[in-house]
Amino acid sequence: MNPSLDPVTVLKGLIQDFRQLWRELLIFDVLFQLVRAWLIVPLIAMALSFLLFKAGRVAVSNQDIFNFLLSPLGAAYAVTLSATTAVLILLEQAGMLVVIGMRHRPQSAPLEGGHDRLTPLMSSFWRISRLGLLKLSVLTLLAAPLLASAYLTYLVLLTQHDIYYYLTVRPAAFWQAAIAGTILLATMTVCGAFLLVEWLLALPIVLFETLPARSALAASRQRVRGARSRIALLLLCWGGMSFGLGAILTAGFQYCAEMLLARLGQDSVPLLASLLIVQSGLIGFASFLSNSAISLLIHRVYHDISGSDHPLREIASSAASRSPDHAVERFTATRVRIAAAVTVTVTILVPVGFWILLAERVATRGTVLVTAHRGSAAHAPENTLAAIQRAIDIGADYTEIDVHQTKDGVVVLLHDRDLRRVAGDSRRLSQITFEEVQKLDVGRWFSEEFAQTRVPTLTEALRLCRDKIRVNIELKVFGPSAELAEAVTRIVREEGFESHCIITSLSDEALNQVRQFHPRIPVGIIVGQSIGDVNRFDVDALSVRADHLTDEMIRSAQQLNRQVMVWGIKGERQINAQLRRGVDNLIASDPELAIRLRDRWRDACDRDRVVMGLQILLGISQETTNSALEND
């Protein structure tokens, strides 16, 4: 094996190469990211939107998404998204390899113009694309049986009871499934790492030797034979260094920022803006360094194993005769400064300016409402009268409750499909009469204080809420939805709650049935994940999981005069972030905290809102800065 693959030797070489090439690599990385963000990604989004438009439907539930992906248009959507992602990753690496291949050496010099630099990349575009598709196809074939095994494990071990029982109680079946999933994940990781080593040289072979994709993969496997363990060690070192650098930069910046804000004032706009610029620079630097390091590593391994220079040396040498070294250096330095200025403008000033302008628009939307999730489930058993009373006592605007039917058709409050988690009874609600349900204790699991708490009916819940709090009624559809939708709308009408509630569900079919039975009752679609434009649903509100909610969803919904409700939020930082985005309703597990932060946001002046927005972008809350000052 070639002794130059010794990790210490390779590391020294990488440092030397980076010192020579960091300017050129930075220019390419910045330009590539800008082109991808402002040209390539929008074009891909347009293509995917066209496919979704042709499909004529929007998928929000897991089953809907699964069924869509199995359809011809759904398969085309998945292939398009996966293929473009794979090709973009390879194109970025290929561009850096071209820059590295023209490294400044005594026999060569950096190229004077961008045209000569891009020629090898553009001429290899289709071969690079085919390489990405071939890699993706092999990985898909490899992952298919493992994913099928994971799904079979889920069916065997995790379907006897409601999934929330397994996630909350974590019985033996949960740990058996976790062990099986860990083994499958480890198998996929090992296989993926093996292929990463086997395919490491395929891209430079395609780029520099103009071999087709299939031949390049075969050539790469042949050349790394006998050096796999050393290459794997080098890749492991690269991964560890990248992760370690990111962790160190994040922790160091967080600590320094919290201390500065605690000492100098966390409401200083210049200080917050300066910290935001530094944070963005550190994130960009860590990403650039990681991308550059892997490209430098691939090139060095390729050069050492192949044992000869590739054709780009001749191009670089001819360029050297056309431009003196000092002119090239000046030109390169100028481009670095321009690239840095463009990056700062696009990635920092534009978002900050957008958020500042957003403050006035958000203020005109009125007070953000707070919904207590499943009642105040942090302080009382969920979906009980005690939890609803707690939500009333703390001053929440809404209480969210989950409803479905007993065997004899009574609408009661219960989240899960069965009663295993809250009452220790494995039977499904649809298999039990209301009289049997009333005998079960659904409070002792939470605390002895709530022993002998019973499952309430929807009628009881609405009577408790009358003139005190509005109600978000979620339809839990575990079968045919028409009977449940009709029963709920009938109860809402009988109790006179049409203008004091909203009915939500994951099932668009159930909401359409609510519309048919009673058009005056507001309805909202619940979105945990989705494929397609959720604003195409005929609803009055969107109830979206926080990490899936986009600014485009908010903008489109509010243009259509629809409420935007957000769930899955925890802690001060996440709640403040959603307030800043301009949502209409916070569905919070800790409604007391949400109310306190909502009131602070409502009473803040424009300057204070700008300060809070900058703090959110920095990921720093008032609690953390106060804690930092106390610990100092």
Side-chain angles (χ1 to χ4, degrees):
M1 192 182 70
N2 195 321
S4 62
L5 289 182
D6 174 73
V8 176
T9 303
V10 171
L11 179 60
K12 291 180 178 179
L14 292 181
I15 294 174
Q16 180 182 0
D17 293 342
F18 183 77
R19 290 176 60 188
Q20 293 177 349
L21 290 163
W22 71 270
R23 293 183 180 86
E24 299 286 328
L25 291 171
L26 178 61
I27 292 170
F28 173 82
D29 188 58
V30 169
L31 294 178
F32 185 87
Q33 299 302 332
L34 292 176
V35 170
R36 178 166 63 180
W38 295 97
L39 178 61
I40 300 176
V41 171
L43 290 176
I44 295 171
M46 290 174 60
L48 295 176
S49 298
F50 176 77
L51 290 173
L52 294 174
F53 176 79
K54 285 293 185 181
R57 61 179 177 177
V58 182
V60 294
S61 69
N62 292 333
Q63 188 62 47
D64 286 343
I65 292 174
F66 182 74
N67 292 337
F68 170 72
L69 293 177
L70 290 181
S71 69
L73 283 174
Y77 175 92
V79 169
T80 301
L81 181 61
S82 303
T84 51
T85 301
V87 171
L88 282 174
I89 292 173
L90 288 183
L91 283 175
E92 183 175 12
Q93 279 191 356
M96 287 194 166
L97 286 172
V98 170
V99 174
I100 296 166
M102 298 172 179
R103 72 177 67 186
H104 182 69
R105 291 283 182 88
Q107 70 271 23
S108 63
L111 293 184
E112 178 182 5
H115 174 73
D116 289 333
R117 187 181 310 282
L118 294 176
T119 297
L121 180 61
M122 298 308 298
S123 64
S124 302
F125 175 79
W126 293 114
R127 290 196 302 275
I128 294 172
S129 299
R130 286 193 291 270
L131 177 64
L133 294 176
L134 187 57
K135 286 184 174 183
L136 182 63
S137 300
V138 173
L139 290 173
T140 301
L141 291 174
L142 175 67
L146 297 174
L147 293 175
S149 299
Y151 182 65
L152 181 61
T153 300
Y154 165 76
L155 292 178
V156 172
L157 296 175
L158 301 179
T159 55
Q160 184 178 357
H161 308 297
D162 192 273
I163 189 63
Y164 279 92
Y165 164 71
Y166 295 103
L167 295 176
T168 305
V169 179
R170 298 184 179 180
F174 171 84
W175 295 111
Q176 292 168 2
I179 292 172
T182 301
I183 293 173
L184 290 172
L185 180 61
T187 302
M188 292 181 64
T189 302
V190 170
C191 292
F194 177 79
L195 289 177
L196 178 62
V197 173
E198 291 277 292
W199 295 343
L200 187 69
L201 305 183
L203 181 58
I205 291 174
V206 164
L207 189 62
F208 300 143
E209 301 176 23
T210 66
L211 289 182
R214 191 179 298 273
S215 299
L217 289 175
S220 178
R221 289 195 298 269
Q222 177 66 29
R223 295 186 194 182
V224 302
R225 185 174 300 171
R228 292 188 183 94
S229 60
R230 190 63 62 90
I231 293 174
L233 178 60
L234 291 172
L235 290 173
L236 186 62
C237 291
W238 163 78
M241 292 175 64
S242 298
F243 177 81
L245 176 65
I248 291 172
L249 289 177
T250 300
F253 173 80
Q254 195 80 6
Y255 175 79
C256 293
E258 289 171 2
M259 293 306 303
L260 284 173
L261 290 171
R263 292 177 178 278
L264 303 180
Q266 59 183 354
D267 60 347
S268 170
V269 173
L271 177 58
L272 288 167
S274 300
L275 288 173
L276 183 61
I277 293 174
V278 173
Q279 182 190 55
S280 301
L282 289 175
I283 293 173
F285 172 74
S287 175
F288 162 68
L289 195 59
S290 179
N291 293 338
S292 300
I294 188 62
S295 299
L296 288 164
L297 177 60
I298 291 173
H299 183 275
R300 179 159 287 273
V301 173
Y302 166 73
H303 180 268
D304 289 352
I305 288 182
S306 299
S308 61
D309 288 348
H310 50 70
L312 286 178
R313 298 287 185 217
E314 298 177 4
I315 302 175
S317 298
S318 63
S321 62
R322 299 199 301 267
S323 177
D325 287 348
H326 64 277
V328 172
E329 291 176 357
R330 286 201 304 271
F331 185 50
T332 298
T334 300
R335 286 185 292 178
V336 169
R337 287 192 290 270
I338 294 174
V342 171
T343 303
V344 170
T345 301
V346 173
T347 62
I348 300 175
L349 300 183
V350 170
V352 170
F354 171 77
W355 279 48
I356 291 174
L357 293 175
L358 190 64
E360 182 177 353
R361 184 181 70 83
V362 171
T364 64
R365 297 278 309 168
T367 300
V368 178
L369 303 177
V370 173
T371 296
H373 187 227
R374 303 183 198 171
S376 188
H379 303 94
E382 63 182 54
N383 282 309
T384 62
L385 297 181
I388 295 174
Q389 185 61 55
R390 176 70 178 185
I392 294 171
D393 293 341
I394 65 175
D397 302 289
Y398 276 84
T399 179
E400 186 264 351
I401 56 176
D402 307 286
V403 300
H404 47 121
Q405 291 174 291
T406 61
K407 182 179 180 179
D408 48 350
V410 178
V411 180
V412 298
L413 276 58
L414 186 68
H415 179 275
D416 298 354
R417 183 191 298 260
D418 57 47
L419 292 123
R420 184 71 177 84
R421 180 169 62 92
V422 297
D425 193 317
S426 298
R427 291 176 295 174
R428 295 187 176 184
L429 184 65
S430 59
Q431 300 171 333
I432 315 174
T433 64
F434 178 65
E435 183 179 356
E436 293 174 299
V437 171
Q438 285 295 285
K439 298 177 182 178
L440 300 175
D441 181 350
V442 295
R444 191 182 300 274
W445 71 273
F446 185 87
S447 169
E448 284 294 332
E449 175 187 352
F450 297 97
Q452 303 306 315
T453 298
R454 305 304 175 190
V455 173
T457 65
L458 176 59
T459 300
E460 291 174 323
L462 294 183
R463 289 176 179 174
L464 175 61
C465 295
R466 180 175 286 115
D467 300 326
K468 301 173 185 176
I469 193 171
R470 284 173 279 184
V471 185
N472 179 340
I473 306 171
E474 179 181 346
L475 304 183
K476 306 297 288 188
V477 179
F478 297 116
S481 58
E483 184 179 351
L484 176 61
E486 182 178 12
V488 171
T489 54
R490 175 177 50 80
I491 293 171
V492 168
R493 184 172 59 251
E494 291 173 351
E495 296 299 323
F497 250 79
E498 296 97 324
S499 59
H500 301 285
C501 76
I502 182 171
I503 296 179
T504 59
S505 180
L506 275 165
S507 170
D508 178 46
E509 179 183 5
L511 297 179
N512 288 334
Q513 290 162 347
V514 170
R515 290 273 201 208
Q516 294 173 9
F517 293 127
H518 203 314
R520 289 174 51 198
I521 300 177
V523 297
I525 188 74
I526 299 174
V527 182
Q529 56 277 318
S530 65
I531 295 180
D533 181 8
V534 295
N535 278 294
R536 292 175 63 182
F537 287 113
D538 180 20
V539 293
D540 301 291
L542 300 179
S543 180
V544 189
R545 192 182 72 230
D547 57 5
H548 186 68
L549 181 65
T550 65
D551 292 335
E552 177 61 24
M553 282 186 192
I554 297 175
R555 184 187 64 82
S556 298
Q558 293 179 348
Q559 285 179 344
L560 296 170
N561 201 30
R562 292 173 177 166
Q563 289 187 60
V564 178
M565 303 184 290
V566 59
W567 50 275
I569 48 175
K570 296 180 181 179
E572 177 182 337
R573 185 181 304 172
Q574 292 185 15
I575 294 173
N576 276 332
Q578 298 305 325
L579 288 168
R580 183 66 184 177
R581 298 178 76 184
V583 301
D584 300 293
N585 195 314
L586 301 170
I587 303 177
S589 300
D590 187 351
E592 292 180 87
L593 175 62
I595 291 170
R596 185 169 71 252
L597 296 177
R598 184 272 311 273
D599 292 345
R600 187 179 74 178
W601 172 262
R602 179 194 59 198
D603 298 336
C605 63
D606 287 345
R607 180 186 179 280
D608 290 339
R609 291 184 177 185
V610 171
V611 169
M612 293 169 63
L614 291 172
Q615 290 174 342
I616 293 167
L617 288 175
L618 283 169
I620 295 174
S621 66
Q622 184 175 5
E623 292 177 355
T624 57
T625 52
N626 291 341
S627 176
L629 189 58
E630 292 172 0
N631 295 333
D632 184 43

